[in-house]
Amino acid sequence: MLEQMGKAAKQASYQLAHCPTSTKNQVLTVIADLLEKQCSLILTANEKDIIAAKAQGLSAAILDRLLLTSDRLTDIANDVRKVVNLTDPIGKIIDGAILDNGLKLQRHRIPLGVIGVIYEARPNVTIDIAALCLKTGNVAILRGGKETIHTNAAMIAIIQQALAQVGLPEFAIQYIDNPDRKYINELLKLDKYVDMIIPRGGSALHKLCREHSTIPVITGGIGVCHIFMDESMDFDSAFPIIVNAKTQRPSTCNTVETLLVHTKIANTFLPKLSQIMADSGVILHADQRSFAILESSAANVFRVEDDELRQEWLSKDLNVVIVDSLEHAVDHIREYGSNHSEAILTRSLANAEKFVNLVDSAAVYVNASTRFTDGGQFGLGAEVAVSTQKLHVRGPMGLEALTTYKWVGFGDDLIRK
């Protein structure tokens, strides 16, 4: 099955690579319109997935990721329309020069080709990937989680309907609709046809792809994110940022999981934090020093375990750790973080600059919520994933992240001497 999908995808990629921007924008517009016109069909399919997920006892965080509403579907459609309005990077001349040997050399931006994306309970990812791939002339083979099988089937039908309507090959976006995990391993070995693998899910999925793929893999999306509250920051300004980073949508990878608090302010800051977290329904998981301060405070407080500092809660749970200095905070982030998103809350320009320079993550913020690490918020329209590695891209993966380049040389009957 996958061999045939791979062949069809490679053939479609040749046509998509040279597709004019106007045609690509047309298919995206049709997709956005069909998402709204067929809203009830998609929500009915999603309801089946939700019922099955609840029967399986899946967590509230997973259910939230899985759930579609009419408002969420409208947002997804509007994200597609934002991609329509973005500049098409394909064909762009990145740079160039006339060399001493007379060769006029340029770098032209081109599609990657065929992209395999493996993801879990995130039905919005199906549309995000399709939109970004089609805009950049790429073809995609998608494998979503079994939890979203009905929702994804409905969305893929819409995407392929739109492709056919504008005269593009339906095989430009394909979906592996069999939940058997053996097809993941087959996809990871399909290097004859697939140019890149992008996993979106937990650490186990990323590990599987890194260890078994014969295709280059872009990893990321695991967000053990931190906020460091330094001794100079005023409390009233800090609390709304912390609350937003933890509670605005706790099930996302850019949610803060650990709050690092400078020891100089801990005794006064933590009791106030506890009350605000209690009001926000957040459970605290404290290290030894912070537990001594928080034990009798308003919020529910537990001792934090070492492995909890290395994981995504993806819920209204927040680790609290006292640190002795900015350097101590950075050391903690290096030990426990996932290179996703970190923030410092400070009124010291020197501390802000030092934190930005020392923290090696895909996104680093000064006096801002970690929740901004998102393709839409970054003006990318949407994202395929958030890359936390250094090759080939970092951060939210928008249009340019789905491209590579080729060298083009122009000569005047030129030969090498």
Side-chain angles (χ1 to χ4, degrees):
M1 179 180 80
L2 257 62
E3 182 81 9
Q4 291 304 118
M5 292 179 74
K7 287 181 180 179
K10 182 59 73 174
Q11 282 300 125
S13 73
Y14 300 143
Q15 183 174 343
L16 264 290
H18 304 289
C19 187
T21 301
S22 58
T23 303
K24 293 187 288 189
N25 285 342
Q26 184 183 0
V27 72
L28 294 179
T29 300
V30 173
I31 289 172
D33 292 343
L34 288 176
L35 285 172
E36 292 179 333
K37 290 178 182 177
Q38 301 187 26
C39 175
S40 59
L41 184 151
I42 297 170
L43 295 183
T44 298
N46 184 249
E47 186 178 3
K48 294 179 182 178
D49 289 329
I50 292 292
I51 292 171
K54 288 180 178 178
Q56 295 172 44
L58 297 183
S59 69
I62 296 296
L63 290 172
D64 181 62
R65 289 184 178 190
L66 173 59
L67 177 66
L68 284 180
T69 64
S70 57
D71 286 342
R72 287 186 179 183
L73 203 52
T74 298
D75 289 341
I76 292 170
N78 286 335
D79 282 342
V80 175
R81 295 186 178 103
K82 289 176 184 177
V83 175
V84 171
N85 293 324
L86 295 175
T87 301
D88 185 354
I90 301 304
K92 177 183 177 182
I93 298 174
I94 301 171
D95 53 32
I98 298 177
L99 308 183
D100 292 342
N101 57 22
L103 184 68
K104 181 180 179 181
L105 196 61
Q106 297 175 339
R107 286 194 300 155
H108 292 206
R109 198 171 291 284
I110 62 172
L112 286 169
V114 180
I115 301 171
V117 186
I118 306 166
Y119 53 106
E120 296 174 346
R122 295 173 181 267
N124 62 297
V125 173
T126 302
I127 299 298
D128 289 347
I129 294 166
L132 292 174
C133 284
L134 292 173
K135 180 77 177 195
T136 50
N138 287 292
V139 165
I141 298 176
L142 310 181
R143 201 281 188 182
K146 63 181 180 181
E147 302 87 359
T148 55
I149 190 164
H150 296 98
T151 309
N152 284 335
M155 288 183 163
I156 291 296
I158 284 173
I159 294 167
Q160 293 183 340
Q161 179 183 342
L163 286 164
Q165 187 172 320
V166 301
L168 292 176
E170 294 180 37
F171 295 126
I173 304 293
Q174 298 181 77
Y175 185 74
I176 302 171
D177 58 6
N178 191 316
D180 193 324
R181 291 183 66 85
K182 74 176 184 179
Y183 291 110
I184 293 180
N185 288 318
E186 288 188 26
L187 178 59
L188 296 178
K189 304 293 190 217
L190 212 62
D191 52 272
K192 185 177 180 180
Y193 305 109
V194 178
D195 299 287
M196 179 176 287
I197 295 289
I198 303 175
R200 284 191 64 161
S203 57
L205 174 61
H206 286 261
K207 186 173 185 289
L208 173 71
C209 293
R210 286 196 304 269
E211 293 180 352
H212 295 280
S213 179
T214 58
I215 306 164
V217 177
I218 289 196
T219 57
I222 300 170
V224 184
C225 305
H226 300 76
I227 291 178
F228 170 47
M229 174 76 180
D230 87 350
E231 69 274 28
S232 70
M233 186 65 176
D234 54 292
F235 296 0
D236 289 343
S237 298
F239 288 135
I241 297 173
I242 297 167
V243 170
N244 176 265
K246 182 68 259 182
T247 69
Q248 201 249 352
R249 196 172 177 192
S251 63
T252 58
C253 62
N254 53 22
T255 294
V256 65
E257 303 293 14
T258 298
L259 178 66
L260 305 171
V261 180
H262 197 288
T263 187
K264 288 184 179 179
I265 61 171
N267 285 318
T268 52
F269 176 78
L270 289 180
K272 295 180 180 180
L273 172 78
S274 179
Q275 182 61 60
I276 289 173
M277 292 296 103
D279 294 342
S280 301
V282 176
I283 298 170
L284 301 179
H285 301 261
D287 72 337
Q288 184 175 354
R289 287 199 287 175
S290 58
F291 187 83
I293 300 172
L294 292 167
E295 186 174 9
S296 301
S297 63
N300 289 327
V301 185
F302 300 90
R303 289 286 184 91
V304 69
E305 302 294 334
D306 187 77
D307 61 340
E308 292 174 335
L309 293 171
R310 303 178 188 277
Q311 72 180 24
E312 291 179 297
W313 283 112
L314 302 177
S315 58
K316 286 191 173 183
D317 292 82
L318 177 67
N319 303 324
V320 180
V321 175
I322 292 176
V323 293
D324 297 321
S325 63
L326 184 149
E327 290 78 10
H328 186 187
V330 171
D331 287 343
H332 181 99
I333 291 169
R334 289 172 178 170
E335 174 65 25
Y336 295 98
S338 60
N339 303 110
H340 192 294
S341 302
E342 325 295 348
I344 182 173
L345 306 183
T346 184
R347 290 294 180 247
S348 165
L349 180 59
N351 281 357
E353 290 178 347
K354 181 180 284 189
F355 187 85
V356 168
N357 290 333
L358 292 179
V359 171
D360 182 19
S361 291
V364 184
Y365 299 95
V366 178
N367 298 336
S369 169
T370 56
R371 285 282 290 124
F372 284 103
T373 309
D374 172 86
Q377 293 294 316
F378 277 22
L380 304 177
E383 67 186 38
V384 176
V386 177
S387 169
T388 55
Q389 63 187 42
K390 297 185 180 180
L391 294 176
H392 103 118
V393 293
R394 282 190 116 185
M397 294 179 62
L399 296 179
E400 288 196 1
L402 296 181
T403 69
T404 183
Y405 59 83
K406 63 182 175 186
W407 294 99
V408 179
F410 298 90
D412 184 12
D413 302 330
L414 194 65
I415 61 172
R416 179 173 174 174
K417 297 179 181 179

